[in-house]
């Protein structure tokens, strides 16, 4: 009886370890993509195509394979004044080209919906919730946020960022700077001071829509591989902030006070 019980306990422990190993990935990566109406439909479509192209690219797939476990877990959603209903693509493990293409095809098939306002704080909250409740365990947990303007809706962005970073989440930013955003110091400076955070976090600015696909691919490879960002695109979160993290809210209020 005791021998049988010991064997059953041993098998249970082995099964638990195997289950944990199956759920272990190098990175849990949430792609949070801005689809606010400050971008026109052509720019939004090029942005979508940039993500699809990057996910299918050999450089991205090679970065996944070169990881410690050789696999990542990835999910996706779109946001504007809030998370766009129905835009969430749930977690999928990527460890080979077929997996990456399957995820990219899901994204490509989604209808593109543009909505009002910009709530980066809502995007961070959604990404953090998905990371915490997801079925996988990443050595690193990353929210990848792309956007073309400062937070102007919902909760303030800096406290949302700080809460996520305290939970062990890294937030990186893709600052889409195709036209002036009215953000003092530039949108990349604002993202560096108010949005990104965590060890090795960085901001990658995009000034030309034709460069978007390359920028997305470069960003995904850095996030998957865990390599540091070049100094030209890196913002160090523990430096004193130069940006007013409520600038977007103030700009929005000014529109109604005139």
């Amino acid at each position: 009886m005791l021998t049988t019980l010991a064997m059953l306990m041993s098998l249970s422990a082995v099964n638990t370890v195997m289950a944990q190993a199956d759920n272990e990935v190098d990175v849990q990566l949430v792609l949070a993509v801005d689809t606010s109406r400050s971008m026109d439909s052509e720019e939004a479509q090029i942005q979508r195509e940039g993500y699809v192209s990057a996910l299918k690219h050999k450089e991205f797939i090679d970065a996944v394979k070169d990881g410690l476990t050789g696999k990542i877990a990835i999910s996706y959603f779109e946001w504007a004044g809030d998370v766009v209903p129905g835009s969430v693509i749930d977690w999928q493990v990527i460890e080979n080209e077929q997996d990456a293409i399957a995820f990219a095809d899901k994204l490509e098939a989604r209808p593109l919906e543009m909505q009002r306002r910009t709530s980066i704080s809502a995007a961070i909250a959604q990404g953090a919730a998905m990371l915490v409740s997801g079925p996988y365990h990443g050595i690193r947990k990353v929210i990848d946020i792309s956007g073309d303007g400062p937070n102007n809706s919902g909760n303030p962005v800096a406290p949302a960022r700080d809460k996520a970073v305290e939970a062990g989440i890294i937030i990186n930013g893709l600052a889409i700077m195709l036209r002036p955003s009215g953000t003092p110091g530039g949108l990349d400076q604002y993202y560096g001071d108010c949005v990104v955070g965590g060890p090795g976090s960085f901001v990658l600015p995009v000034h030309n829509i034709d460069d978007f696909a390359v920028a997305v691919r470069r960003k995904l490879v850095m996030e998957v591989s865990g390599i540091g960002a070049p100094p030209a695109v890196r913002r160090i979160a523990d430096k004193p902030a130069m940006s007013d993290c409520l600038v977007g809210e103030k700009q929005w209020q000014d529109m109604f006070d005139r």
Side-chain angles (χ1 to χ4, degrees):
M1 176 75 78
L2 291 175
T3 302
T4 302
L5 181 59
M7 288 177 63
L8 289 173
M9 291 176 66
S10 177
L11 286 171
S12 176
V14 169
N15 288 337
T16 299
V17 171
M18 289 178 64
Q20 290 174 342
D22 286 342
N23 291 340
E24 188 84 14
V25 293
D26 291 310
V27 186
Q28 285 172 273
L29 177 61
V30 180
L31 303 180
V33 176
D34 182 4
T35 56
S36 60
R37 289 178 181 163
S38 51
M39 287 188 289
D40 61 35
S41 57
E42 181 183 9
E43 290 168 352
Q45 186 60 46
I46 290 173
Q47 178 181 227
R48 166 71 63 79
E49 292 169 358
Y51 275 95
V52 170
S53 173
L55 289 164
K56 294 181 178 182
H57 199 278
K58 184 179 183 298
E59 189 178 358
F60 167 70
I61 297 165
D62 286 346
V64 171
K65 292 179 179 179
D66 287 343
L68 187 64
T69 71
K71 57 185 178 179
I72 68 168
I74 191 168
S75 60
Y76 173 97
F77 67 88
E78 293 166 356
W79 58 277
D82 206 338
V83 177
V84 177
S87 70
V88 176
I89 300 177
D90 207 0
W91 292 104
Q92 176 179 318
V93 171
I94 294 180
E95 54 183 327
N96 54 46
E97 182 180 12
Q98 290 72 27
D99 295 335
I101 291 173
F103 189 84
D105 286 347
K106 289 179 185 178
L107 173 55
E108 193 169 25
R110 267 199 44 72
L112 190 58
E113 300 178 43
M114 312 293 289
Q115 298 198 4
R116 298 176 66 245
R117 306 288 295 269
T118 300
S119 183
I120 304 172
S121 58
I124 292 173
Q126 172 73 16
M130 292 172 70
L131 286 166
V132 170
S133 64
Y136 301 100
H137 179 263
I139 299 170
R140 288 176 290 114
K141 302 178 188 294
V142 180
I143 303 174
D144 176 322
I145 295 183
S146 68
D148 74 337
N151 194 82
N152 64 28
S153 179
N155 294 323
V157 65
R161 182 267 315 275
D162 294 343
K163 187 174 180 180
V165 170
E166 286 172 7
I169 295 169
I170 299 167
I171 304 172
N172 295 323
L174 188 71
I176 304 173
M177 303 171 67
L178 307 181
R179 57 176 65 88
S181 65
T183 309
L187 186 64
D188 54 345
Q189 180 71 52
Y190 171 88
Y191 260 64
D193 289 338
C194 307
V195 178
V196 307
S201 58
F202 62 87
V203 181
L204 187 62
V206 179
H207 298 280
N208 190 321
I209 196 65
D210 293 333
D211 298 332
F212 192 87
V214 173
V216 171
R217 183 171 78 245
R218 183 183 180 193
K219 188 166 186 280
L220 292 182
V221 168
M222 287 192 290
E223 288 167 335
V224 167
S225 64
I227 61 175
V233 299
R234 183 136 179 207
R235 303 290 181 185
I236 307 302
D238 58 3
K239 283 186 176 180
M242 298 174 62
S243 301
D244 178 0
C245 293
L246 294 174
V247 64
E249 288 85 347
K250 292 174 181 177
Q251 289 173 347
W252 187 265
Q253 188 59 48
D254 286 346
M255 291 173 60
F256 296 96
D257 291 344
R258 290 173 185 169

